[in-house]
Amino acid sequence: MTDEATPIPDYPFAQPHVLEPPQEWAENRAKCPVAHVRMPSGDVVGLLTGYDEVRTLLADPRFSRNLAREGGARLSNTEDGGMFSRRNPGATDIQEGPGHQRWRRLLSRAFTVKKMEAWRQRIQGMADELVDAMMAGGSPADLRTALALPLPVQVICALLGAPSEDQEKFAYWSEVALTLTKYTQEEVDTAQQAFLDYASDLVEQKRAHPGDDLLSELTLISDSEDGRLSHDELVSTARGLLLAGHETTSNMILKMTALLLAERERYEAVVADPELIRGTVEESLRMDPLAGVGIPRFITEDTEVGGVPVGAGSNLLVNMAAANRDARKFPEPDRFDPLRENNSQHVTFGAGPHFCVGQTLARVELQVVLGTFARRLPGLRLRDKPEELRPRDGVAAGGLQELWVTW
Amino acid sequence: MKITVDQEACCGSGLCVLRADQVFDQREEDGVVMLLEEAPSPEDFEEVRAAAAGCPTGAIRLAE
Ligand code: HEM
Ligand code: SF4
């Protein structure tokens, strides 16, 4: 906790190096379970960096992810306060409680382990085609444009039944939606409207020409007006899936590749032994080097976090990547170990009722990408020195701007 | 060992199925966990413990 004499530090903290976490995480974890930090909006929130604290908070259904309310902290410097404080039509009821569970169960059926495993082959085909084109274009290549963006866009578009040509539009709308300091309110409003219009048109197309895809299925459910999904909720879900389905995965493909190639023995180990693919993906997710700001919760009742009282009406921010480096959970947390026994217990996908809907899909995509690289590009290397990599600043999701590779 | 699952709390992640598909499955209509085996055989204990520890919603309880 902070007292009057210590100034409240600005957040997000600076990193010593793009692939190395800020020192403040470890200091906070040791000293204060709830550390006060100032967001770019000027609002102060309590930051959680310990594994147990983060997991317990996320798993507690009493606490709300809806910050568009009296007393909700604004994270971004735009007037609307950013992603978590924005009011989107059709998003309120499905955000928590019984409405959320109803919505979540409509989605979960499309993301079961069996359904996702059935996608693996198709994703492999898409990855191979993109790698063919990248190799034909010659070394070096920017992995973002060659694979990290198009692959997740193609996957989520195929799942939803949307055309994937518009990938640069999705990427732009999503990045603007996630602004911390990079975009103005006007840019946010324009991009929001364009993204919603796009999602709305897509739903109309599905209504006119239903196909064998998730969005057609959800449109039918919505049109049956049985109370499971309103029209606005349907459009908001389409937009949300287009955003969540590609942004984080695309980002993570670059971060994983950077982590592995910056200390190349990590990559060489996978080339030598493909059995290490799963563990290497999990360890890359755990050690996510540019994880962004984290996710907030609005505290609706007095509670305690790691022995510190937290009053109703406060706002807490959990940093998943910081929690993933808690030595109480992951001994020698800064050591990359694909054989770490509990490495899939990281909180990169959250925890509790909002645990990432798409995590099985994201894991399959990352495994396919790493497997394809190891098989086809054993000589893959970073073109630039790790300290020259450019972070994507000013965006809540963090990540890299680009990643140039050679082979 | 006796397993119980809380289908209300389950978020349908399927992580338990990945760990031990001889013990856990997901309902087709909504992805919610289904228990195939209330009393697993001793050779599955380790995987079941890992599934319970890894469940993101704490929906798997074990009585040992
Ligand atoms: C590496 C990639 C990914 C990461 C790191 C990630 C991370 C997360 C996290 C941390 C949450 C929890 C948010 C909260 O508790 O407030 C979440 C929720 C969500 N994710 Fe992901 N995600 C990824 C990929 C995906 C994909 C591929 C999809 C879609 C197909 C997706 C769809 C969603 C949705 C719809 C939610 C909201 C769930 C709810 O509120 O119940 N994500 N994700
Ligand atoms: S791991 Fe937990 S939340 Fe996931 S399906 Fe199994 S019981 Fe449900």
Side-chain angles (χ1 to χ4, degrees):
Chain A
M1 309 283 314
T2 31
D3 54 46
E4 300 295 316
T6 20
I8 295 174
D10 287 332
Y11 186 87
F13 303 130
Q15 298 189 205
H17 177 302
V18 282
L19 301 178
E20 245 175 68
Q23 280 141 5
E24 286 89 345
W25 288 359
E27 291 163 19
N28 288 338
R29 234 176 355 243
K31 288 196 308 244
C32 40
V34 184
H36 286 136
V37 296
R38 193 178 302 281
M39 298 305 300
S41 63
D43 288 356
V44 172
V45 301
L47 177 71
L48 271 51
T49 49
Y51 182 87
D52 283 344
E53 290 80 12
V54 162
R55 206 172 152 133
T56 309
L57 187 85
L58 290 179
D60 196 323
R62 291 176 303 165
F63 304 137
S64 171
R65 71 199 300 237
N66 178 8
L67 270 62
R69 65 204 305 156
E70 180 87 29
R74 295 159 313 133
L75 303 190
S76 309
N77 68 355
T78 44
E79 283 120 63
D80 68 8
M83 172 93 170
F84 298 98
S85 328
R86 219 163 272 148
R87 288 169 208 272
N88 294 321
T92 318
D93 281 358
I94 57 178
Q95 219 164 32
E96 52 217 333
H100 171 256
Q101 197 187 57
R102 150 174 71 81
W103 169 84
R104 174 92 192 193
R105 292 188 169 185
L106 284 179
L107 289 190
S108 294
R109 65 202 278 172
F111 292 92
T112 59
V113 168
K114 281 193 195 118
K115 292 236 168 76
M116 289 300 109
E117 280 304 321
W119 275 83
R120 188 182 288 270
Q121 247 353 73
R122 228 173 133 183
I123 297 172
Q124 182 64 61
M126 295 173 182
D128 274 321
E129 263 182 40
L130 290 165
V131 169
D132 287 343
M134 178 172 105
M135 290 171 80
S139 167
D142 172 17
L143 201 58
R144 177 184 177 276
T145 45
L147 181 103
L149 179 60
L151 182 68
V153 170
Q154 285 179 20
V155 172
I156 194 67
C157 286
L159 212 132
L160 286 174
S164 58
E165 299 85 72
D166 298 323
Q167 62 174 46
E168 286 296 342
K169 274 195 221 159
F170 298 152
Y172 173 74
W173 292 333
S174 305
E175 185 173 289
V176 176
L178 290 163
T179 183
L180 206 54
T181 56
K182 188 168 177 175
Y183 297 97
T184 63
Q185 186 64 50
E186 204 185 335
E187 287 167 314
V188 170
D189 292 340
T190 311
Q192 279 287 100
Q193 197 53 51
F195 207 168
L196 272 181
D197 289 346
Y198 182 92
S200 180
D201 285 350
L202 197 57
V203 164
E204 292 313 326
Q205 285 168 31
K206 294 289 141 188
R207 186 164 279 140
H209 308 283
D212 183 18
D213 55 64
L214 179 59
L215 206 51
S216 297
E217 197 182 303
L218 293 175
T219 304
L220 263 177
I221 290 173
S222 176
D223 288 354
S224 75
E225 296 188 346
D226 62 1
R228 281 190 289 167
L229 195 68
S230 74
H231 176 76
D232 279 352
E233 287 169 354
L234 172 65
V235 173
S236 159
T237 302
R239 175 190 161 280
L241 285 174
L242 282 172
L243 189 158
H246 89 274
E247 155 64 35
T248 39
T249 313
S250 156
N251 206 349
M252 193 59 79
I253 291 174
L254 291 189
K255 293 187 286 190
M256 171 177 78
T257 311
L259 267 184
L260 301 181
L261 297 180
E263 307 218 8
R264 213 165 169 281
E265 62 283 3
R266 297 171 178 168
Y267 185 63
E268 287 157 14
V270 182
V271 172
D273 180 7
E275 292 277 305
L276 292 177
I277 291 171
R278 261 166 217 271
T280 302
V281 165
E282 292 309 320
E283 198 63 347
S284 305
L285 286 162
R286 184 183 72 80
M287 296 187 64
D288 183 352
L290 285 164
V293 294
I295 47 181
R297 289 290 187 263
F298 183 80
I299 302 307
T300 48
E301 299 172 26
D302 289 349
T303 185
E304 220 177 63
V305 176
V308 179
V310 176
S314 336
N315 296 272
L316 296 180
L317 184 69
V318 309
N319 190 300
M320 290 85 77
N324 289 341
R325 294 194 188 230
D326 188 336
R328 290 166 290 192
K329 177 71 183 178
F330 303 105
E332 290 185 71
D334 297 327
R335 191 171 56 89
F336 189 97
D337 177 6
L339 298 175
R340 192 183 282 278
E341 192 198 331
N342 62 356
N343 62 6
S344 62
Q345 288 178 27
H346 56 72
V347 283
T348 304
F349 294 113
H354 296 284
F355 185 67
C356 179
V357 168
Q359 51 83 31
T360 312
L361 178 61
R363 282 172 152 133
V364 170
E365 290 186 51
L366 291 165
Q367 289 161 8
V368 166
V369 166
L370 182 54
T372 310
F373 286 169
R375 186 165 42 82
R376 302 189 53 189
L377 296 162
L380 196 64
R381 285 190 161 71
L382 295 181
R383 184 194 68 180
D384 306 318
K385 295 198 187 67
E387 56 277 17
E388 291 164 2
L389 300 179
R390 293 200 300 142
R392 194 165 60 139
D393 288 329
V395 180
L400 291 162
Q401 299 264 13
E402 58 186 3
L403 189 68
W404 286 84
V405 291
T406 64
W407 58 88
Chain B
M1 178 191 280
K2 188 165 178 306
I3 313 174
T4 47
V5 292
D6 180 348
Q7 292 180 319
E8 263 311 290
C10 169
C11 70
S13 73
L15 293 182
C16 54
V17 183
L18 276 175
R19 271 286 175 187
D21 61 1
Q22 66 283 29
V23 179
F24 303 100
D25 200 356
Q26 287 175 281
R27 287 202 298 235
E28 198 143 320
E29 71 271 23
D30 58 9
V32 168
V33 64
M34 279 193 307
L35 197 52
L36 302 177
E37 201 60 72
E38 257 179 46
S41 51
E43 63 264 29
D44 292 335
F45 283 5
E46 200 184 318
E47 292 300 308
V48 170
R49 284 191 196 109
C55 171
T57 56
I60 303 172
R61 294 268 153 73
L62 306 180
E64 304 207 39

